[in-house]
Amino acid sequence: MILTLTLNPSVDISYPLETLTLDDVNRVEEVSKTAGGKGLNVTRVLSQLKEPVLASGFIGGELGQLIARKLDDADVYHAFYNIKGETRNCIAILHEGQQTEILEQGPTIDADEARGFIHHVDELLTKVQAVAISGSLPKGLSQDYYAQIIQLCQQRQIPVVLDCSGSALLAVLKQQYKPTVIKPNISELSQLLGQQIQEDIESLKTVLANPLFDGIEWIIVSLGANGAFAKHNEQYYRVSIPKINVLNPVGSGDSTVAGITSAVVNHENDQTLLKKANTLGMLNAQEAQTGYVNVSNYQNLFNQIEVLEV
């Protein structure tokens, strides 16, 4: 069983419009509402891969219950921790080939809820073989909150795939207990190190050898359409991917995380892990729905990916 953690989930609302008219009424004929948040995208893709998966995180109020019902409808197991605050909405307005987003900040987690969730996760860890942590921290939690969860996992020798950025990721990297995998994109890596990172092999090898990353088994850097660059212990890999028709890239990183976690829990080799991860990211980009992959196209794309040790 894989545990996915989404600490700041949302109800994702999509408003498709032919034209967005400012300072006027815009009527929407078709509205979609989904259980949103990076970790829940990971959850859906794992479920489509037929991996046993359990979703958790903070939910509150009617919107939180809507998320739980959406997962029930999709036959996805969940064990959320209920809080007093209300789960947020995130609105995407799709218009004229563009996407305008309105993102609520979300609830504030109080000290009792923060402590309660740590105990909740500790109990869930008795049932799982791997953990995927995705997304931002809600208000009220300390920047080292992910590090606290990772410590619990390490004490049980459970691998952790962490997909976050900025101060939350930096706080983890400075702690004693480290995740098994991190997956920054090139922009997040540049922000983390405070310098512009070049995509050539020697520059990336130098960057990933930075002592900041000591203790991290896997560092997988997304290069978008240019594939990925990865470090596994002392080995480096360049991943080349085929050109595809991109319909909706949102959620592709989360689908990649699903592939990484699936490969980790199944003890797959380096080449398979990197190919599976990138295949799922591309499959998501080919679909209109976020956090969805057409597994019937999996093998065709998988066979086109090249992984070279460099």
Side-chain angles (χ1 to χ4, degrees):
M1 177 81 76
I2 295 169
L3 174 65
T4 65
L5 297 180
T6 314
L7 301 196
N8 200 13
S10 61
V11 173
D12 285 357
I13 305 173
S14 175
Y15 291 151
L17 295 170
E18 286 190 11
T19 304
L20 174 64
T21 305
L22 297 179
D23 197 28
D24 202 351
V25 174
N26 293 269
R27 300 191 185 279
V28 182
E29 293 185 4
E30 296 182 11
V31 178
S32 70
K33 297 184 180 182
T34 59
K38 291 173 67 62
L40 294 183
N41 293 335
V42 175
T43 305
R44 279 192 290 272
V45 174
L46 286 169
S47 181
Q48 290 157 38
L49 293 177
K50 308 301 182 186
E51 292 282 7
V53 60
L54 175 67
S56 189
F58 297 104
I59 59 170
E62 287 298 319
L63 293 179
Q65 293 308 307
L66 177 58
I67 286 176
R69 291 195 299 273
K70 290 287 186 182
L71 294 181
D72 287 338
D73 292 343
D75 293 322
V76 173
Y77 294 112
H78 55 84
F80 288 105
Y81 188 84
N82 287 288
I83 57 172
K84 296 186 289 291
E86 180 82 25
T87 294
R88 61 183 178 149
N89 282 311
C90 288
I91 299 170
I93 305 171
L94 311 176
H95 58 101
E96 302 135 317
Q98 302 176 75
Q99 180 166 312
T100 300
E101 296 186 354
I102 302 171
L103 309 180
E104 296 180 7
Q105 190 170 54
T108 298
I109 310 300
D110 68 30
D112 288 340
E113 291 167 340
R115 284 190 295 268
F117 185 71
I118 291 291
H119 292 302
H120 178 67
V121 169
D122 199 27
E123 292 176 358
L124 295 179
L125 291 179
T126 63
K127 310 173 185 178
V128 305
Q129 288 74 51
V131 177
I133 305 173
S134 304
S136 61
L137 290 167
K139 287 173 59 181
L141 296 182
S142 61
Q143 289 299 319
D144 71 345
Y145 197 77
Y146 282 152
Q148 295 177 45
I149 295 173
I150 292 167
Q151 179 177 350
L152 293 178
C153 296
Q154 278 213 355
Q155 288 168 348
R156 296 181 182 271
Q157 297 184 314
I158 296 172
V160 177
V161 180
L162 176 66
D163 184 19
C164 68
S165 60
S167 56
L169 177 56
L170 185 60
V172 167
L173 296 178
K174 290 183 174 180
Q175 297 294 321
Q176 176 183 355
Y177 299 96
K178 304 297 176 71
T180 310
V181 186
I182 59 172
K183 192 207 68 64
N185 60 35
I186 197 74
S187 174
E188 291 166 345
L189 193 62
S190 297
Q191 178 191 21
L192 186 69
L193 297 174
Q195 64 184 84
Q196 188 62 42
I197 307 299
Q198 303 302 315
E199 292 191 15
D200 65 277
I201 289 172
E202 290 307 315
S203 295
L204 287 166
K205 288 176 73 172
T206 299
V207 165
L208 298 190
N210 189 303
L212 182 65
F213 302 118
D214 286 352
I216 308 291
E217 181 180 338
W218 272 103
I219 308 167
I220 301 173
V221 182
S222 171
L223 304 177
N226 293 324
F229 188 84
K231 178 177 183 285
H232 183 209
N233 294 322
E234 300 308 314
Q235 294 176 296
Y236 295 87
Y237 298 98
R238 181 71 171 87
V239 183
S240 299
I241 62 175
K243 292 185 182 298
I244 59 169
N245 292 321
V246 174
L247 187 57
N248 175 22
V250 179
S252 291
D254 306 325
S255 301
T256 300
V257 169
I260 294 168
T261 313
S262 171
V264 166
V265 81
N266 289 298
H267 308 289
E268 293 174 321
N269 63 34
D270 291 6
Q271 286 77 12
T272 301
L273 182 150
L274 291 168
K275 292 177 76 170
K276 175 183 275 190
N278 283 273
T279 298
L280 291 170
M282 288 189 292
L283 286 175
N284 176 89
Q286 291 179 313
E287 302 293 330
Q289 184 179 345
T290 299
Y292 177 80
V293 296
N294 184 346
V295 292
S296 66
N297 295 331
Y298 178 90
Q299 199 61 48
N300 178 46
L301 275 181
F302 184 94
N303 293 338
Q304 296 180 64
I305 295 174
E306 184 179 55
V307 177
L308 292 177
E309 187 173 350
V310 295

